[in-house]
Amino acid sequence: QDNTISIWSVGDLGNAGLNGEYQGEPQLLCDIRHNGDVMDMQFLDQERIVVASSTGTVTIFRHHQNNQTLSANQRWEKAHYHVDQDTSCGGAACTGVICNNPEIVTVGEDGRINLFRADQKDAVRTIDNADSSTLHAVTFLRTIEILTVNSIGQLKIWDLRQQRNEPSQIFSLTGDRVPLHCVDRHPNQQHIVATGGQDGMLSIWDIRQGTMPVSLLNAHEAEMWEVHFHPSNPDHLFTCSEDGSLWHWDTSTDISEKPSFLHQGGRSTTYFSHNTINQSVVSAWLSNDPTKDRMEITNLIPNQTLSVNSLDILGPCLVYGTDAEAIYVNRQLFA
């Protein structure tokens, strides 16, 4: 019922023991109360964090590192709302937030898109009826373009310079209108986009061509909550799910080159058959039939139980949070 935003110190990355175990306990540095469920959050810069609430409010919290406290720095009350902003029960959940300092884009259950600027009181731009269904997630495609995914299986591109309130392109999963919950774009090749949805499938799209995914990959047995390309090593992709699994998708090497991988205990690993022609990384994600390509999938949580709700990657570290009310840090992604 009472929610908080917390800042933790997980210690020095170099401070790992012989087998990579972290020395010492993570420490809670500070926390602050938060109204409503925390739907999403992102660092705006070194000390500011933008938080999306189920009440529809978007707040920027500042982390004061000198005395380790958090304070609310700026707040857009009911940035998302169903009926009107003024009624007490009018708030609609803000489902996603993405930052490119000073710009902040938010999406919500009300199908609304807001463009805010830090330190500016009013929204720079609002697209009121951007979508007739819930917008579940948003990410930047380029500085002025964003991607959104919605609850009827559509991926849309919006150009924020255009005054029109229509997307510049609409892509959709065929037929079933399976809700899409998450989206990420390839850090170097911006035309490659990954999405995940209600059915646990991973979809890879090439937004330069067609309106349908280039490939659909069987992944999780329940909703996929988050998908992320590794920011500096995008041959690697990570997905997590309601089914309690967290998958590492690796298109970087020919599997025949590393047979030792088969014998690492405690990991359940699925291999796709592969051809030995050394294809480029691009075609590995964009191939029409990824099962022919070199792709290795590892479940990083073999004895899964509860939903894995969120994940993020920084260098060799993977952080994820689960319904067990626990946060895990895996420091050996490429061990």
Side-chain angles (χ1 to χ4, degrees):
Q1 296 301 311
D2 298 323
N3 297 310
T4 54
I5 304 290
S6 309
I7 302 264
W8 295 80
S9 160
V10 292
D12 183 11
L13 290 183
N15 187 16
L18 286 173
N19 24 358
E21 268 101 60
Y22 169 62
Q23 308 294 301
E25 288 293 306
Q27 284 192 314
L28 177 63
L29 298 178
C30 51
D31 55 18
I32 191 168
R33 287 198 51 190
H34 180 267
N35 224 344
D37 293 344
V38 176
M39 304 297 286
D40 198 5
M41 57 180 172
Q42 279 244 320
F43 277 98
L44 177 66
D45 54 28
Q46 288 293 318
E47 49 186 34
R48 288 183 294 178
I49 305 134
V50 182
V51 183
S53 170
S54 59
T55 64
T57 295
V58 177
T59 311
I60 302 182
F61 291 98
R62 188 181 286 274
H63 175 213
H64 306 274
Q65 290 171 1
N66 51 359
N67 60 358
Q68 291 305 344
T69 56
L70 275 165
S71 65
N73 180 242
Q74 191 172 356
R75 187 175 276 130
W76 292 281
E77 294 282 350
K78 289 199 190 146
H80 294 273
Y81 54 92
H82 282 306
V83 190
D84 62 76
Q85 253 172 317
D86 306 324
T87 54
S88 59
C89 57
C94 176
T95 49
V97 55
I98 193 80
C99 304
N100 184 11
N101 194 5
E103 256 93 41
I104 298 162
V105 176
T106 70
V107 296
E109 271 180 12
D110 52 358
R112 192 173 267 108
I113 298 172
N114 290 307
L115 171 61
F116 295 112
R117 203 162 277 141
D119 306 322
Q120 248 175 263
K121 189 167 137 316
D122 296 319
V124 179
R125 175 92 201 272
T126 294
I127 305 177
D128 271 332
N129 300 310
D131 216 302
S132 56
S133 63
T134 296
L135 288 168
H136 281 140
V138 59
T139 194
F140 278 102
L141 180 60
R142 298 179 187 83
T143 34
I144 37 69
E145 286 183 297
I146 57 166
L147 292 162
T148 59
V149 290
N150 69 13
S151 59
I152 54 170
Q154 292 173 321
L155 168 69
K156 297 183 182 181
I157 300 179
W158 304 82
D159 185 334
L160 296 173
R161 290 168 308 187
Q162 300 287 342
Q163 284 313 301
R164 301 183 307 126
N165 287 345
E166 265 86 55
S168 48
Q169 272 178 284
I170 300 179
F171 305 83
S172 59
L173 295 171
T174 47
D176 296 342
R177 298 194 157 208
V178 176
L180 290 172
H181 287 302
C182 51
V183 57
D184 196 27
R185 74 150 169 77
H186 192 289
N188 315 338
Q189 287 152 337
Q190 299 183 332
H191 54 276
I192 302 177
V193 174
T195 63
Q198 186 88 27
D199 54 2
M201 295 276 274
L202 172 64
S203 312
I204 305 289
W205 313 69
D206 182 346
I207 59 172
R208 297 168 307 181
Q209 53 182 11
T211 58
M212 283 159 32
V214 181
S215 56
L216 287 168
L217 299 163
N218 270 315
H220 303 279
E221 288 164 21
E223 294 91 343
M224 185 189 295
W225 292 131
E226 195 111 53
V227 57
H228 273 300
F229 285 101
H230 190 289
S232 55
N233 200 343
D235 306 356
H236 299 267
L237 177 91
F238 298 85
T239 59
C240 65
S241 166
E242 180 70 30
D243 69 9
S245 60
L246 194 161
W247 284 18
H248 174 184
W249 306 71
D250 178 2
T251 60
S252 64
T253 46
D254 193 328
I255 290 157
S256 58
E257 288 168 18
K258 43 177 193 184
S260 62
F261 206 93
L262 285 164
H263 307 298
Q264 291 191 353
R267 288 186 166 186
S268 52
T269 302
T270 320
Y271 292 118
F272 283 153
S273 59
H274 60 286
N275 49 14
T276 46
I277 305 160
N278 188 12
Q279 291 177 299
S280 71
V281 173
V282 182
S283 64
W285 287 124
L286 290 186
S287 144
N288 292 327
D289 183 3
T291 51
K292 285 204 191 79
D293 276 314
R294 315 148 299 157
M295 193 181 303
E296 182 183 329
I297 302 166
T298 311
N299 180 8
L300 298 179
I301 318 176
N303 352 342
Q304 58 221 47
T305 48
L306 297 165
S307 173
V308 184
N309 301 319
S310 190
L311 71 93
D312 206 355
I313 310 137
L314 184 65
C317 280
L318 169 76
V319 182
Y320 56 96
T322 75
D323 269 356
E325 298 188 15
I327 298 166
Y328 298 87
V329 182
N330 175 340
R331 291 168 186 277
Q332 294 178 284
L333 271 190
F334 305 118

